[in-house]
């Protein structure tokens, strides 16, 4: 099993910045990718950014150039600095871990609210 604990959400004005962090524990050696998803009210959950154990990254087009995903050297923590935030970024953000067996694990979610 993998446990994910998130932090860093909050309320900011448009143009501001936030940094999300996710700490993984448990069977971390089975993880081959981690990422962040978000879900706005009335919307489906969507991929924001992902990073593999080898360091390859993938971003939603809507956040390219504004968000960055990274992992620490131990590959137990994934971070998402978010810059130039827009009201459209308002959502609950969830940390995700993907294992080599195809299983997904989820954090509890953290609220990000961007005001005009």
């Amino acid at each position: 099993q993998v446990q994910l604990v998130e932090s860093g959400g909050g309320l900011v004005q448009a143009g501001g910045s936030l940094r999300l962090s996710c700490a993984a524990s448990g069977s971390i050696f089975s993880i081959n990718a981690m990422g962040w998803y978000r879900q706005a009210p009335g919307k489906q959950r969507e991929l924001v950014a992902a990073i593999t154990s080898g360091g390859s990254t993938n971003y939603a087009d809507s956040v390219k150039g504004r968000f960055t995903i990274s992992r620490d050297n131990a590959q137990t923590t994934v971070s998402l600095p978010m810059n130039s935030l827009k009201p459209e970024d308002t959502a609950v953000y969830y940390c995700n871990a993907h294992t080599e067996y195809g299983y997904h694990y989820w954090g509890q979610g953290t609220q990000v609210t961007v005001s005009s």
Side-chain angles (χ1 to χ4, degrees):
Q1 298 185 61
V2 175
Q3 295 81 44
L4 304 172
V5 179
E6 302 156 328
S7 62
L11 172 65
V12 297
Q13 293 184 337
S17 300
L18 286 173
R19 180 180 182 271
L20 304 184
S21 294
C22 176
S25 61
S27 301
I28 59 175
F29 295 109
S30 66
I31 299 173
N32 60 12
M34 295 184 68
W36 291 91
Y37 288 70
R38 66 186 181 188
Q39 187 167 24
K43 304 290 186 179
Q44 286 192 307
R45 189 172 299 184
E46 64 175 349
L47 175 68
V48 177
I51 185 168
T52 70
S53 59
S56 298
T57 58
N58 187 37
Y59 295 92
D61 288 341
S62 60
V63 306
K64 287 181 179 177
R66 300 190 297 120
F67 295 5
T68 304
I69 189 167
S70 63
R71 298 179 71 179
D72 66 358
N73 290 334
Q75 299 192 13
T76 56
T77 301
V78 63
S79 298
L80 187 72
M82 304 182 294
N83 300 315
S84 301
L85 284 163
K86 305 174 181 179
E88 307 93 89
D89 296 318
T90 296
V92 177
Y93 285 69
Y94 297 90
C95 183
N96 166 264
H98 184 267
T99 74
E100 60 184 336
Y101 308 109
Y103 296 113
H104 284 254
Y105 296 89
W106 298 94
Q108 77 281 3
T110 184
Q111 177 70 48
V112 172
T113 302
V114 184
S115 65
S116 300

